[in-house]
């Protein structure tokens, strides 16, 4: 693999593809920041609906965490970050944290999701469209996020908000990750969109400063294509300067296919802390490509440290020009 490139590998062609055993918890190494997490995020542009549920556990610290966000009709129905919760006694993907549960129906493929707050109750089934992909990549010689698989899929069921029932039929992204997560990429952007079960896109342009890469893949007409570094994805932002307002992308895969994609967000966004100073802002989105309409998520994170253009000025890292004054 060349420096700055990444690998998105179909499970059938990977040396250690995700197996049903990977649906369970993984043995931790002796590191305080070992984590295991499971994310389900999905949206429906026609219904003005969005949801994000992330189950997390730091087993060496003996604590679990939950981040949840739900939007119905472009209004907040739920937004919470519950930390220092009891660890689920078994596998994370058969666990309960802070009023949310995930139950495996079919390993790697189907899950039941519930969420209960004072105002909101979710009863959903998540189904991956196909077997998850093992995901690994190399940026500037650094291997990032080892222990990681994901898939695109659909959530169906009901939401009861303030006593009123809403049908849910939304599409998006699921992820299961394990390993030490202490150092995060300084800046990244992500889009996850579904046009139909046979046309989905995941695109994540990332930056370590000097190195840039496009992580992602397109599934179209039964063919999986890995996105190439020549791909381009530009964002516009809302007046708060952190929420993605939209995107324009030209995505090129390793099959030579070119996808010109437009996206726009709707409703309230949310910013959540990934840990160690990394903050990520996400919003529900609609997408258009080749005359098709889709739904999904746009997210963005700012530089945790100095952007390369500032670092290149050679200022003292402790300079008052780039740090708040300390009394």
């Amino acid at each position: 693999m060349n420096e700055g490139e990444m690998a998105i590998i179909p499970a059938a062609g990977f040396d250690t593809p995700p197996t049903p055993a990977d649906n369970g918890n993984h043995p931790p190494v002796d590191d305080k920041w070992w984590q295991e997490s499971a994310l389900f995020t999905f949206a429906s542009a026609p219904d003005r609906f969005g949801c994000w549920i992330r189950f997390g556990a730091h087993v060496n610290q003996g604590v679990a965490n939950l981040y949840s966000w739900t939007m119905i009709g472009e209004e907040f129905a739920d937004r919470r970050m519950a930390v220092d919760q009891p660890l689920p006694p078994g596998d994370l993907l058969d666990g309960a944290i802070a009023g949310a549960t995930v139950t495996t129906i079919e390993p790697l493929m189907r899950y039941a999701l519930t969420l209960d707050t004072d105002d909101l109750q979710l009863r959903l089934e998540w189904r991956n469209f196909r077997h998850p992909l093992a995901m690994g990549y190399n940026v500037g010689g650094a291997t990032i996020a080892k222990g990681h698989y994901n898939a695109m899929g659909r959530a169906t069921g009901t939401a009861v908000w303030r006593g009123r029932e809403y049908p849910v039929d939304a599409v998006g992204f699921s992820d299961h990750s394990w390993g030490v997560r202490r150092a995060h990429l300084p800046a990244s952007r992500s889009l996850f969109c579904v046009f139909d079960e046979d046309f989905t896109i995941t695109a994540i342009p990332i930056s370590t400063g000097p190195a840039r890469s496009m992580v992602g893949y397109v599934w179209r007409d039964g063919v999986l294509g890995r996105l190439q570094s020549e791909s381009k994805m530009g964002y516009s932002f809302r007046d708060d300067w952190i929420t993605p307002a939209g995107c324009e992308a030209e995505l090129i895969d390793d099959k030579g296919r070119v996808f010109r994609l437009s996206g726009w967000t709707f409703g309230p966004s949310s910013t959540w802390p990934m840990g160690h100073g990394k903050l990520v802002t996400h919003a529900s989105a609609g997408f258009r490509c080749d005359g098709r309409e889709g739904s999904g998520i746009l997210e963005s994170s700012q530089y945790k440290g100095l952007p390369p253009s500032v670092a290149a000025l050679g200022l003292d890292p402790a300079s008052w020009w780039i740090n708040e004054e300390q009394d």
Side-chain angles (χ1 to χ4, degrees):
M1 189 186 309
N2 295 328
E3 184 175 300
E5 291 185 350
M6 64 87 198
I8 292 294
I9 306 163
F14 194 45
D15 290 339
T16 55
T19 69
D22 282 312
N23 196 79
N25 287 352
H26 296 77
V29 300
D30 185 16
D31 190 298
K32 178 180 179 180
W33 298 112
W34 169 275
Q35 66 86 51
E36 187 125 16
S37 64
L39 167 68
F40 301 88
T41 179
F42 40 92
S44 170
D47 298 321
R48 320 310 275 178
F49 172 86
C51 188
W52 184 294
I53 305 175
R54 182 187 182 275
F55 302 83
H58 286 90
V59 296
N60 292 332
Q61 300 183 48
V63 296
N65 54 81
L66 177 83
Y67 169 70
S68 62
W69 170 87
T70 305
M71 178 189 69
I72 298 175
E74 298 200 29
E75 293 187 64
F76 272 135
D78 162 65
R79 183 173 183 264
R80 296 182 303 144
M81 182 78 180
V83 300
D84 298 330
Q85 301 294 304
L87 284 172
D91 289 333
L92 187 66
L93 281 165
D94 275 302
I97 303 172
T101 69
V102 54
T103 304
T104 298
I105 300 171
E106 179 185 352
L108 305 181
M109 294 299 296
R110 293 172 61 214
Y111 303 90
L113 301 172
T114 72
L115 179 69
D116 288 284
T117 72
D118 290 343
D119 291 332
L120 176 67
Q121 296 81 48
L122 296 178
R123 298 293 182 269
L124 305 172
E125 181 177 315
W126 174 271
R127 179 180 65 86
N128 288 332
F129 293 142
R130 54 192 57 84
H131 196 279
L133 302 177
M135 187 173 180
Y137 45 97
N138 181 315
V139 180
T143 301
I144 301 164
K146 293 184 66 176
H148 188 165
Y149 67 75
N150 62 66
M152 307 294 282
R154 182 183 301 273
T156 55
T158 60
V160 177
W161 181 42
R162 296 175 179 170
R164 180 178 175 184
E165 184 171 307
Y166 299 82
V168 174
D169 187 351
V171 290
F173 175 85
S174 72
D175 177 277
H176 186 187
S177 170
W178 61 94
V180 177
R181 301 290 186 265
R182 184 190 302 105
H184 298 289
L185 292 167
S188 62
R189 294 174 178 174
S190 306
L191 70 79
F192 312 112
C193 64
V194 176
F195 296 95
D196 58 42
E197 190 165 332
D198 205 40
F199 185 14
T200 67
I201 298 176
T202 292
I204 311 173
I206 58 177
S207 173
T208 61
R212 283 169 172 73
S213 183
M214 176 65 78
V215 177
Y217 51 91
V218 177
W219 182 276
R220 177 77 180 266
D221 300 330
V223 177
L224 179 71
R226 187 183 75 182
L227 292 181
Q228 301 297 287
S229 58
E230 294 83 5
S231 299
K232 303 182 179 91
M233 192 163 89
Y235 269 31
S236 58
F237 289 84
R238 297 185 188 171
D239 288 346
D240 63 7
W241 293 50
I242 61 171
T243 300
C247 72
E248 295 290 334
E250 182 179 81
L251 305 174
I252 304 168
D253 73 5
D254 59 354
K255 308 298 188 296
R257 299 179 298 180
V258 179
F259 304 91
R260 292 179 175 86
L261 176 78
S262 296
W264 58 93
T265 61
F266 56 89
S269 66
S270 181
T271 299
W272 75 281
M274 289 181 66
H276 307 285
K278 180 78 167 184
L279 304 175
V280 178
T281 301
H282 58 86
S284 299
F287 295 92
R288 185 176 295 110
C289 183
D290 293 343
R292 300 199 201 184
E293 302 281 338
S295 299
I297 301 289
L298 277 176
E299 68 171 5
S300 178
S301 69
Q302 308 303 314
Y303 275 96
K304 178 184 174 184
L306 290 180
S309 60
V310 175
L313 294 173
L315 298 171
D316 181 347
S319 168
W320 66 270
W321 289 103
I322 52 179
N323 290 280
E324 294 182 9
E325 185 176 355
Q326 303 294 319
D327 294 330

